Amino acid sequence: MRRNMWGILCVLTVGLCGSLMAAEPQQGTPKKGEAIYVQHCAGCHGTSGDGLGPDIKELIVPPANFLAPKSRTKTDMDLYLAVKQGVLFSPMHGWADRLSDQEIRDVLRYIRSLAPFNPIG
Ligand code: HEC
């Protein structure tokens, strides 16, 4: 009986550590994000994140400038939702069907490395 208890405890501990470790990469890797950004986002948002990419001439709504206070004061969650679901009435469509949650986190980490979150702008 005692043995079984240890067994169960062991399985629980391993399970818990496993899920904690699995949670780690959820934070996003800027290096992976950079590749995604260059491929999918820089055309509009610009290599430096200033919103002046080469594809913007025909856009009615200009892309967000990530370096500006308007974007920097937004939380990671705000930006995450904009990427996942898109921005209404703008050419920024949602990426949920093309990028995994992990890839969206990676690309956001990269954007935040160009333009860190700054609550006072
Ligand atoms: C077709 C051009 C285009 C492409 C491609 C594009 N965006 Fe956008 N993006 C926009 C526009 C336009 C907006 C809306 C700006 C506004 O609301 O003023 C926007 C808004 C955003 C916002 C919200 C910013 C804020 O301050 O609210 C984020 C985050 C974002 N884009 C990330 C991305 C990422 C990541 C990619 C690549 C996976 C991407 N965009 C690709 C045009 C584009």
Side-chain angles (χ1 to χ4, degrees):
M1 185 58 199
R2 262 243 158 103
R3 273 227 161 120
N4 273 345
M5 292 272 287
W6 280 116
I8 291 167
L9 212 73
C10 217
V11 167
L12 281 178
T13 319
V14 170
L16 199 70
C17 289
S19 54
L20 284 177
M21 267 155 55
E24 173 71 24
Q26 295 276 319
Q27 299 309 312
T29 325
K31 196 88 202 106
K32 285 187 192 151
E34 182 176 5
I36 299 167
Y37 186 84
V38 169
Q39 192 185 347
H40 297 296
C41 323
C44 285
H45 289 284
T47 326
S48 68
D50 59 6
L52 299 174
D55 302 340
I56 64 171
K57 290 179 204 83
E58 280 136 45
L59 298 182
I60 304 163
V61 181
N65 171 2
F66 299 130
L67 312 178
K70 191 168 175 265
S71 286
R72 293 185 57 172
T73 50
K74 287 185 178 149
T75 64
D76 286 0
M77 187 46 94
D78 292 333
L79 300 187
Y80 175 83
L81 290 176
V83 180
K84 197 173 165 86
Q85 301 170 353
V87 178
L88 212 60
F89 306 120
S90 95
M92 175 70 193
H93 50 69
W95 290 85
D97 55 340
R98 260 152 302 170
L99 297 176
S100 68
D101 282 356
Q102 186 60 56
E103 287 170 325
I104 295 177
R105 287 194 173 89
D106 289 344
V107 81
L108 278 184
R109 283 277 62 78
Y110 180 68
I111 290 171
R112 285 303 200 196
S113 77
L114 297 173
F117 172 61
N118 182 348
I120 50 169

